[in-house]
Amino acid sequence: LANGSDGALPHGAHPETAELYSAQKFGCVQLAEPREFVMLDGSAINDDYCDCLDGSDEPGTSACSGGKFYCLNKGGAGGASLPS
């Protein structure tokens, strides 16, 4: 899985969504019509192209409008989800 094949979360993904990024395939409702559930190859994660309606395939890019980027804030008080 792109940016997550080593067991690490993809860049920008919230830790609570770790189970979404643990397989070689990634499932979501596609952005394009008809809006249906699709299985994407792991290389679709953070490839700077918005495939999923909810933007979950692009946690570390600004490819999807309304996307969220999770910042761990190492050394600070907790993390935060920021608009991407």
Side-chain angles (χ1 to χ4, degrees), residues 43-61:
S43 63
I45 306 299
N46 286 335
D47 66 351
D48 215 21
Y49 181 82
C50 191
D51 297 293
C52 300
L53 184 62
D54 64 358
S56 57
D57 64 307
E58 297 298 320
T61 76

Side-chain angles (χ1 to χ4, degrees), residues 6 9-10 14-15 23 32 34 38 41 44 46 62-64 70 73 81-83:
D6 60 359
L9 280 174
H14 194 288
V38 294
D41 188 69
N46 286 335
S62 59
C64 303
Y70 182 77
N73 194 18
S81 289
L82 308 169

